[in-house]
Amino acid sequence: MRAANLVLTALLAMSLPAIAQQKPEPRGRPMPPPTRGPAPYKAPKAAPAHHTNSVKQAPQQRNFSDKPGHPNAPHVDKGNKWVGHDTGRNDANYHVDHPFEHGRFTAGFGPSHRWHLGGGGPNRFSFNGWYWSVAPADFGFCDGWDWDGDDIVIYEDPDHDGWYLAYNVRLGTYVHVMYLGPQ
């Protein structure tokens, strides 16, 4: 009996790393990739400014979970609604001094061009011999990505020069990515 307990304990201990490496799965069936990228952001008309002696407040953490069951990350809803792509051209998180300094990606955009990730991580990843990096502000939104197995779709970003949007087909989320060029 004691030997059987030791064997079971050893088997359990050996299986824990495999369990820890399992990929998070999205809830429900993933939607097909969006048919097009987001439209350019149009800011709502601002109300007239009133003079106040207000104290500047720290930026608040955004919540992208717009409906129950939706991820708390930028994602695309039915009808091509790009949730979270609403900060406009002046967002400092996506400012680049030299946009497209590594050239422009021209191999295909949209759902008819699915790309299989070939390794790496947010700092540098690749597919089909082309290298990319995720915007530092978006690192937290791709922590569930499988860098060796997920399919992504690339879209042009109409608001942030130098950036593209990488949509993860399995998760339904997206991040801003910069093209680094061919290998």
Side-chain angles (χ1 to χ4, degrees):
M1 181 73 159
R2 187 172 189 181
N5 284 342
L6 287 175
V7 169
L8 287 173
T9 302
L11 287 173
L12 177 62
M14 289 188 298
S15 66
L16 287 178
I19 293 169
Q21 292 178 5
Q22 288 181 346
K23 295 179 264 184
E25 290 299 323
R27 291 184 186 172
R29 184 181 172 127
M31 290 185 356
T35 57
R36 63 184 182 284
Y41 177 69
K42 291 182 178 109
K45 297 210 182 223
H50 298 285
H51 179 70
T52 61
N53 292 331
S54 62
V55 177
K56 189 174 182 179
Q57 296 180 1
Q60 294 181 346
Q61 184 71 26
R62 287 190 68 180
N63 182 357
F64 297 98
S65 184
D66 57 331
K67 296 177 184 171
H70 286 210
N72 189 13
H75 62 278
V76 181
D77 283 347
K78 290 180 182 174
N80 281 328
K81 180 182 178 206
W82 289 72
V83 176
H85 201 267
D86 56 3
T87 59
R89 298 192 69 76
N90 296 324
D91 189 331
N93 289 313
Y94 308 112
H95 172 77
V96 179
D97 286 335
H98 306 285
F100 307 109
E101 69 180 313
H102 304 287
R104 291 181 184 260
F105 181 69
T106 59
F109 301 100
S112 61
H113 297 86
R114 279 193 187 203
W115 307 104
H116 188 76
L117 292 176
N123 285 314
R124 184 177 164 100
F125 66 93
S126 68
F127 58 82
N128 286 46
W130 299 298
Y131 287 89
W132 300 79
S133 66
V134 174
D138 290 3
F139 276 17
F141 305 131
C142 59
D143 60 352
W145 288 33
D146 178 358
W147 297 101
D148 291 312
D150 278 344
D151 285 344
I152 63 169
V153 176
I154 301 294
Y155 297 89
E156 294 180 279
D157 187 333
D159 295 322
H160 309 114
D161 292 339
W163 295 102
Y164 297 90
L165 300 169
Y167 174 83
N168 185 302
V169 175
R170 177 176 60 90
L171 299 174
T173 61
Y174 68 90
V175 293
H176 289 81
V177 295
M178 181 179 288
Y179 179 59
L180 302 177
Q183 63 184 47

